[in-house]
Amino acid sequence: MKSERDTGPPVYQQIKSTLRQEISGGHYPPDSAFITQRALCERFGVSNTTAVRVLNDLVGEGLLVRRRGLGTFVAERTTAERGVERVISCILHGLQDSYVAQVLSGVESVCNELGYRLLLTDTGESAHREEEALRHAQRAGVDGVVLYPVEGRGHAGVLSDLRSQDVPVVMIDRYRPDVICDAVTVDNDDVGYQLTKGLIALGHERIATLWSETDCTSVHERLAGHIRALRENGLPIRSEFTALRRYWPTDEHARQLQLQHLIELPEPPTAMLCSNGYVVAAAVHDLIALGVAVPDTIDIAGMDDAGPYNLLPLTVLCASLPSKELGRQAAQLLNSRLSSADALGATERVILPVTIRNRQSTAAHLRAVSTSDI
């Protein structure tokens, strides 16, 4: 067997395959105590982390069971023999977006590895449809829920009901301060902080923020990081630049009035920090309509790359999110809950790093101007 440092298929998969064969071959009789974590490490020469993952996966597959205070035992009958299949409800919004599609891809990859069946719902930005999907999952008796929640704090009751029924919920991209559950997010505070530092390094001291969602933790943390960077550099916090006000999606006239107010200030912004790719696209369109060239007059930065297409050529700086890994980590965290004897223990929040890309990292960049200037 390869060591953990070797390339090739993951070692834990090789170990699982060996142990599956031994269980099915009767080496470990049903209801007997299974090899301990320490013994597994010694036998295969692997770390505790790898040993725990192997045992968790075998529990998740129904080959092993955990008995609190006693240890891990071979299941009397495997999941396949019982005809039992674990079902996961995956509730997302905005599946037409490439970012969300990649999140789903990550969730699906783990569920396929574990043999879980996935029930998918796209709530389409609707809090009402999200609540309906959660209640449907509750009635259907699913084993767990992966949720990319819409903004706001509605339907806390059904989330509390799921927890009371020992159904774990893992949120993706943001969390709910009013709800007890696990979450997998990116370092949103660092997104706002690093992008603002980068814009300041380019000479920008007046940076306006443009938002889409306004009532979710990811947005609040990005704004907090932005303000922290301004303060560290001795720059003023101007309410007209940092107001949490929806810019997109609104009608074009309202958007352009909002931008016109900013660019007609005695000291207008020289850069705009946009919450996502959709806001970047709308801002560029509206600035051109107002006769403002991008980037000649104003620079654009994006807080994430969610959007209809690659907008890096239009931005001087852009945060790139590990979208597929968000999905994978969420599904793995849910699996660890389902495999644990204490499925609803202390909640866990996994925070993934982001990558900040600049215009020089793309093969070309775009200059956007009104056709009347050509």
Side-chain angles (χ1 to χ4, degrees):
M1 184 174 294
K2 297 180 181 180
S3 73
E4 290 187 279
R5 293 184 299 272
D6 291 337
T7 59
V11 171
Y12 84 95
Q13 294 283 14
Q14 302 175 45
I15 297 172
K16 280 201 302 181
S17 177
T18 299
L19 295 176
R20 281 197 202 99
Q21 293 175 11
E22 292 179 352
I23 292 170
S24 62
H27 185 79
Y28 297 99
D31 206 34
S32 66
F34 194 63
I35 182 173
T36 65
Q37 177 183 319
R38 180 177 178 180
L40 194 152
C41 292
E42 293 175 351
R43 175 180 171 186
F44 294 100
V46 294
S47 65
N48 284 324
T49 300
T50 299
V52 168
R53 185 173 185 182
V54 168
L55 293 174
N56 283 345
D57 283 6
L58 292 175
V59 169
E61 293 170 14
L63 295 171
L64 303 177
V65 293
R66 286 197 172 98
R67 297 175 183 167
R68 190 172 298 182
L70 297 175
T72 305
F73 291 77
V74 178
E76 292 186 9
R77 289 182 295 166
T78 67
T79 300
E81 290 170 334
R82 292 196 308 269
V84 175
E85 181 181 42
R86 276 189 166 155
V87 179
I88 304 302
S89 177
C90 184
I91 303 171
L92 309 173
H93 67 271
L95 265 177
Q96 75 283 355
D97 183 87
S98 59
Y99 166 72
V100 182
Q102 283 297 303
V103 169
L104 174 59
S105 176
V107 174
E108 286 180 319
S109 67
V110 173
C111 288
N112 288 338
E113 291 171 9
L114 299 174
Y116 290 174
R117 183 159 61 92
L118 200 63
L119 297 179
L120 176 63
T121 303
D122 181 3
T123 63
E125 310 286 346
S126 167
H128 175 68
R129 288 179 62 181
E130 180 174 287
E131 182 174 10
E132 286 185 334
L134 287 167
R135 294 201 179 280
H136 179 267
Q138 182 183 14
R139 291 192 300 269
V142 301
D143 295 283
V145 176
V146 172
L147 173 65
Y148 176 26
V150 299
E151 64 176 324
R153 299 192 183 188
H155 49 266
V158 66
L159 290 166
S160 178
D161 290 344
L162 286 165
R163 183 174 178 83
S164 68
Q165 294 167 7
D166 293 335
V167 178
V169 177
V170 178
M171 292 190 181
I172 295 178
D173 184 87
R174 72 276 307 261
Y175 59 93
R176 289 271 300 269
D178 59 322
V179 172
I180 301 173
C181 69
D182 298 311
V184 180
T185 71
V186 300
D187 193 341
N188 285 296
D189 181 270
D190 196 53
V191 168
Y193 180 76
Q194 294 296 342
L195 286 172
T196 304
K197 275 186 60 177
L199 289 172
I200 293 170
L202 292 172
H204 296 290
E205 296 186 353
R206 300 191 302 274
I207 305 166
T209 58
L210 298 177
W211 304 97
S212 175
E213 296 173 303
T214 59
D215 188 12
C216 55
T217 55
S218 56
V219 167
H220 296 162
E221 290 170 352
R222 290 176 184 182
L223 179 59
H226 168 65
I227 291 174
R228 180 163 61 93
L230 293 176
R231 284 179 174 153
E232 284 186 7
N233 287 272
L235 297 176
I237 312 302
R238 299 175 56 172
S239 59
E240 64 268 36
F241 290 171
T242 58
L244 261 182
R245 179 172 58 176
R246 189 183 301 274
Y247 169 73
W248 181 93
T250 57
D251 69 83
E252 185 174 310
H253 179 66
R255 295 198 316 261
Q256 291 179 11
L257 283 178
Q258 188 174 334
L259 289 184
Q260 187 170 10
H261 168 73
L262 291 173
I263 62 180
E264 290 180 353
L265 289 169
E267 293 184 309
T270 60
M272 290 188 174
L273 185 54
C274 302
S275 62
N276 57 42
Y278 293 101
V279 175
V280 168
V284 170
H285 173 274
D286 294 337
L287 286 168
I288 293 171
L290 293 170
V292 179
V294 179
D296 295 357
T297 305
I298 195 163
D299 267 331
I300 302 289
M303 296 188 220
D304 69 46
D305 47 6
Y309 35 77
N310 178 21
L311 289 167
L312 181 61
L314 279 174
T315 57
V316 64
L317 293 169
C318 183
S320 180
L321 308 188
S323 48
K324 186 170 184 177
E325 189 59 21
L326 278 168
R328 285 192 58 85
Q329 292 274 351
Q332 288 169 351
L333 179 52
L334 186 65
N335 177 58
S336 71
R337 288 296 184 194
L338 294 172
S339 304
S340 171
D342 186 17
L344 296 178
T347 57
E348 184 174 350
R349 187 169 158 216
V350 178
I351 302 176
L352 304 181
V354 299
T355 301
I356 304 297
R357 299 187 296 168
N358 58 38
R359 186 174 289 148
Q360 284 65 45
S361 66
T362 187
H365 64 270
L366 302 178
R367 175 174 174 265
V369 297
S370 170
T371 52
S372 62
D373 297 331
I374 299 176

